[in-house]
Amino acid sequence: MPSPKTFSTATAAGERYTLDPNKAGQVLVYRFADKAKATDWRSRRRNTVGGGFAKPGDSALNDWAIKQSSFGSQSENSNDNPFVSVATDYETLYVRAEGWVKKILETAPDLDVFSVPYDKLYRPSPTKPLSKEETEWLYYDGDAELVTYLQSWMANPYKK
């Protein structure tokens, strides 16, 4: 099985994204969730084991990434999932999102901005075209919690 791809300007070619101007090798990503619920910012795996965990091999990472190559897929709810879905452009995500995803985006109270190192973001190989259209990347949560890279909390501009 192919290895998952980590973020780079080449692997994100044709997508909207913003590199962090203050931190080389980092990209801004966004997640719709509830800042009052710590579990919304952690992978299921981190919540299950109560902290960090050993990094699976490339094949296992790619397998998990393929299972979760669209926002809110059923694999995101598996207790072994080491990823948290994020987007490099929240506006594109909202415009391109499937109906059921859009409902999630419209109910989350918060939209948060993170500046994460390229090597923490994965995309499966192969991946669904919709994942790229939504600018979705998967944050690997085994080493450091996503909130470690928090830049700012914002009110969700799409909340209904």
Short mmCIF file of all heavy atoms in Angstrom, two decimals, residues 1-28:
data_model
loop_
_atom_site.label_atom_id
_atom_site.label_comp_id
_atom_site.label_asym_id
_atom_site.label_seq_id
_atom_site.Cartn_x
_atom_site.Cartn_y
_atom_site.Cartn_z
N MET A 1 0.85 -1.18 0.00
CA MET A 1 0.00 0.00 0.00
C MET A 1 0.89 1.24 0.00
O MET A 1 1.88 1.28 0.70
CB MET A 1 -0.89 -0.03 1.25
CG MET A 1 -1.69 1.25 1.41
SD MET A 1 -3.07 1.15 2.54
CE MET A 1 -4.12 0.02 1.67
N PRO A 2 0.50 2.26 -0.76
CA PRO A 2 1.30 3.49 -0.79
C PRO A 2 1.34 4.17 0.57
O PRO A 2 0.47 3.99 1.41
CB PRO A 2 0.57 4.37 -1.80
CG PRO A 2 -0.42 3.52 -2.48
CD PRO A 2 -0.67 2.33 -1.61
N SER A 3 2.36 4.97 0.76
CA SER A 3 2.47 5.76 1.98
C SER A 3 1.58 6.99 1.87
O SER A 3 1.35 7.49 0.77
CB SER A 3 3.91 6.22 2.18
OG SER A 3 4.75 5.13 2.38
N PRO A 4 1.07 7.48 3.01
CA PRO A 4 0.30 8.72 2.95
C PRO A 4 1.24 9.87 2.60
O PRO A 4 2.44 9.80 2.82
CB PRO A 4 -0.25 8.86 4.36
CG PRO A 4 0.70 8.11 5.22
CD PRO A 4 1.24 6.99 4.38
N LYS A 5 0.66 10.91 2.03
CA LYS A 5 1.45 12.10 1.68
C LYS A 5 1.31 13.12 2.80
O LYS A 5 0.22 13.32 3.33
CB LYS A 5 0.91 12.71 0.39
CG LYS A 5 0.97 11.79 -0.79
CD LYS A 5 0.23 12.41 -1.97
CE LYS A 5 0.16 11.42 -3.11
NZ LYS A 5 -0.74 11.86 -4.16
N THR A 6 2.39 13.78 3.14
CA THR A 6 2.30 14.88 4.09
C THR A 6 2.15 16.17 3.30
O THR A 6 2.41 16.23 2.10
CB THR A 6 3.53 14.96 5.02
OG1 THR A 6 4.70 15.02 4.23
CG2 THR A 6 3.59 13.77 5.96
N PHE A 7 1.73 17.22 3.98
CA PHE A 7 1.50 18.50 3.32
C PHE A 7 2.79 19.07 2.75
O PHE A 7 3.86 19.00 3.34
CB PHE A 7 0.92 19.52 4.31
CG PHE A 7 0.65 20.84 3.67
CD1 PHE A 7 -0.57 21.09 3.08
CD2 PHE A 7 1.61 21.83 3.62
CE1 PHE A 7 -0.82 22.30 2.45
CE2 PHE A 7 1.38 23.05 3.00
CZ PHE A 7 0.15 23.28 2.41
N SER A 8 2.66 19.63 1.58
CA SER A 8 3.71 20.44 0.96
C SER A 8 3.00 21.30 -0.08
O SER A 8 1.85 21.05 -0.42
CB SER A 8 4.78 19.57 0.29
OG SER A 8 4.25 18.94 -0.86
N THR A 9 3.70 22.29 -0.59
CA THR A 9 3.07 23.11 -1.63
C THR A 9 2.82 22.27 -2.88
O THR A 9 1.89 22.55 -3.64
CB THR A 9 3.93 24.34 -1.95
OG1 THR A 9 5.24 23.91 -2.32
CG2 THR A 9 4.01 25.29 -0.76
N ALA A 10 3.59 21.21 -3.08
CA ALA A 10 3.38 20.33 -4.23
C ALA A 10 2.15 19.44 -4.01
O ALA A 10 1.33 19.28 -4.92
CB ALA A 10 4.61 19.47 -4.48
N THR A 11 2.01 18.85 -2.81
CA THR A 11 0.87 17.96 -2.58
C THR A 11 -0.44 18.74 -2.42
O THR A 11 -1.51 18.17 -2.55
CB THR A 11 1.08 17.06 -1.34
OG1 THR A 11 1.36 17.87 -0.21
CG2 THR A 11 2.20 16.06 -1.56
N ALA A 12 -0.36 20.03 -2.17
CA ALA A 12 -1.55 20.87 -2.07
C ALA A 12 -1.75 21.73 -3.32
O ALA A 12 -2.55 22.66 -3.31
CB ALA A 12 -1.47 21.76 -0.84
N ALA A 13 -1.04 21.40 -4.38
CA ALA A 13 -1.15 22.18 -5.63
C ALA A 13 -2.60 22.26 -6.08
O ALA A 13 -3.34 21.27 -6.05
CB ALA A 13 -0.29 21.54 -6.71
N GLY A 14 -3.02 23.45 -6.47
CA GLY A 14 -4.38 23.68 -6.94
C GLY A 14 -5.39 23.94 -5.83
O GLY A 14 -6.55 24.20 -6.10
N GLU A 15 -4.97 23.84 -4.57
CA GLU A 15 -5.85 24.09 -3.44
C GLU A 15 -5.55 25.46 -2.84
O GLU A 15 -4.47 25.99 -3.01
CB GLU A 15 -5.63 23.04 -2.34
CG GLU A 15 -5.99 21.65 -2.76
CD GLU A 15 -5.65 20.63 -1.69
OE1 GLU A 15 -5.81 20.93 -0.49
OE2 GLU A 15 -5.21 19.53 -2.06
N ARG A 16 -6.53 25.97 -2.11
CA ARG A 16 -6.30 27.21 -1.38
C ARG A 16 -5.71 26.87 -0.02
O ARG A 16 -6.20 25.98 0.67
CB ARG A 16 -7.61 27.97 -1.23
CG ARG A 16 -8.11 28.53 -2.56
CD ARG A 16 -9.40 29.27 -2.42
NE ARG A 16 -9.25 30.40 -1.47
CZ ARG A 16 -10.20 31.25 -1.18
NH1 ARG A 16 -11.39 31.12 -1.72
NH2 ARG A 16 -10.00 32.23 -0.33
N TYR A 17 -4.66 27.57 0.35
CA TYR A 17 -4.04 27.41 1.66
C TYR A 17 -3.22 28.65 1.94
O TYR A 17 -2.91 29.43 1.04
CB TYR A 17 -3.15 26.16 1.73
CG TYR A 17 -2.02 26.15 0.74
CD1 TYR A 17 -0.81 26.78 1.04
CD2 TYR A 17 -2.15 25.53 -0.49
CE1 TYR A 17 0.23 26.79 0.12
CE2 TYR A 17 -1.12 25.54 -1.41
CZ TYR A 17 0.08 26.16 -1.10
OH TYR A 17 1.10 26.17 -2.01
N THR A 18 -2.86 28.83 3.22
CA THR A 18 -2.02 29.95 3.63
C THR A 18 -0.89 29.41 4.47
O THR A 18 -1.13 28.75 5.49
CB THR A 18 -2.82 30.98 4.45
OG1 THR A 18 -3.95 31.42 3.68
CG2 THR A 18 -1.96 32.17 4.83
N LEU A 19 0.33 29.68 4.05
CA LEU A 19 1.49 29.30 4.85
C LEU A 19 1.60 30.30 5.99
O LEU A 19 1.27 31.48 5.84
CB LEU A 19 2.75 29.31 4.00
CG LEU A 19 2.75 28.37 2.79
CD1 LEU A 19 4.06 28.49 2.03
CD2 LEU A 19 2.49 26.93 3.21
N ASP A 20 2.06 29.85 7.14
CA ASP A 20 2.23 30.74 8.28
C ASP A 20 3.43 31.64 8.00
O ASP A 20 4.55 31.16 7.89
CB ASP A 20 2.45 29.93 9.56
CG ASP A 20 2.45 30.81 10.80
OD1 ASP A 20 2.84 31.99 10.73
OD2 ASP A 20 2.06 30.30 11.87
N PRO A 21 3.22 32.96 7.85
CA PRO A 21 4.33 33.86 7.53
C PRO A 21 5.34 34.00 8.67
O PRO A 21 6.47 34.44 8.44
CB PRO A 21 3.64 35.20 7.25
CG PRO A 21 2.35 35.13 7.99
CD PRO A 21 1.95 33.68 8.00
N ASN A 22 4.96 33.59 9.87
CA ASN A 22 5.84 33.72 11.03
C ASN A 22 6.57 32.44 11.41
O ASN A 22 7.45 32.46 12.27
CB ASN A 22 5.03 34.21 12.24
CG ASN A 22 4.38 35.55 11.98
OD1 ASN A 22 5.01 36.47 11.47
ND2 ASN A 22 3.10 35.64 12.27
N LYS A 23 6.19 31.33 10.79
CA LYS A 23 6.79 30.03 11.15
C LYS A 23 7.03 29.22 9.88
O LYS A 23 6.09 28.67 9.31
CB LYS A 23 5.89 29.26 12.11
CG LYS A 23 5.71 29.97 13.43
CD LYS A 23 4.78 29.19 14.34
CE LYS A 23 4.55 29.97 15.62
NZ LYS A 23 3.47 29.41 16.40
N ALA A 24 8.27 29.13 9.48
CA ALA A 24 8.62 28.36 8.28
C ALA A 24 8.21 26.90 8.48
O ALA A 24 8.33 26.36 9.57
CB ALA A 24 10.12 28.45 8.01
N GLY A 25 7.70 26.30 7.42
CA GLY A 25 7.32 24.89 7.48
C GLY A 25 5.99 24.63 8.17
O GLY A 25 5.69 23.49 8.51
N GLN A 26 5.19 25.69 8.36
CA GLN A 26 3.88 25.52 8.97
C GLN A 26 2.81 26.15 8.09
O GLN A 26 3.05 27.11 7.37
CB GLN A 26 3.85 26.10 10.39
CG GLN A 26 4.75 25.31 11.32
CD GLN A 26 4.53 25.58 12.79
OE1 GLN A 26 5.36 25.22 13.57
NE2 GLN A 26 3.44 26.20 13.20
N VAL A 27 1.61 25.56 8.15
CA VAL A 27 0.48 25.99 7.35
C VAL A 27 -0.71 26.24 8.28
O VAL A 27 -0.84 25.58 9.32
CB VAL A 27 0.14 24.94 6.26
CG1 VAL A 27 -0.25 23.61 6.87
CG2 VAL A 27 -0.93 25.44 5.31
N LEU A 28 -1.55 27.20 7.93
CA LEU A 28 -2.74 27.49 8.70
C LEU A 28 -3.84 26.51 8.32
O LEU A 28 -4.08 26.26 7.13
CB LEU A 28 -3.22 28.92 8.47
CG LEU A 28 -2.22 30.02 8.84
CD1 LEU A 28 -2.81 31.39 8.56
CD2 LEU A 28 -1.78 29.91 10.29
#
